[in-house]
Amino acid sequence: LARAWLYVIWHCWQDGTAYDPDRHNALQRLLTNQHHTTETAAA
């Protein structure tokens, strides 16, 4: 996870752009998938 954030931060700094959560939403997809997996296992 830290490596992914370093990649995002590095490219924002090098490109001179601001962080855009719509562009970098892999973490949200991962958390959503884990949530659905946990719910399915509990059922």
Side-chain angles (χ1 to χ4, degrees):
L1 180 59
R3 189 179 320 137
W5 273 111
L6 285 174
Y7 178 84
V8 170
I9 292 168
W10 173 262
H11 283 281
C12 286
W13 177 45
Q14 291 297 306
D15 299 340
T17 59
Y19 172 72
D20 181 6
D22 291 331
R23 183 172 174 209
H24 305 285
N25 61 358
L27 175 60
Q28 188 60 40
R29 285 193 309 261
L30 177 65
L31 293 175
T32 301
N33 287 340
Q34 285 179 347
H35 179 70
H36 289 299
T37 303
T38 305
E39 286 182 347
T40 304

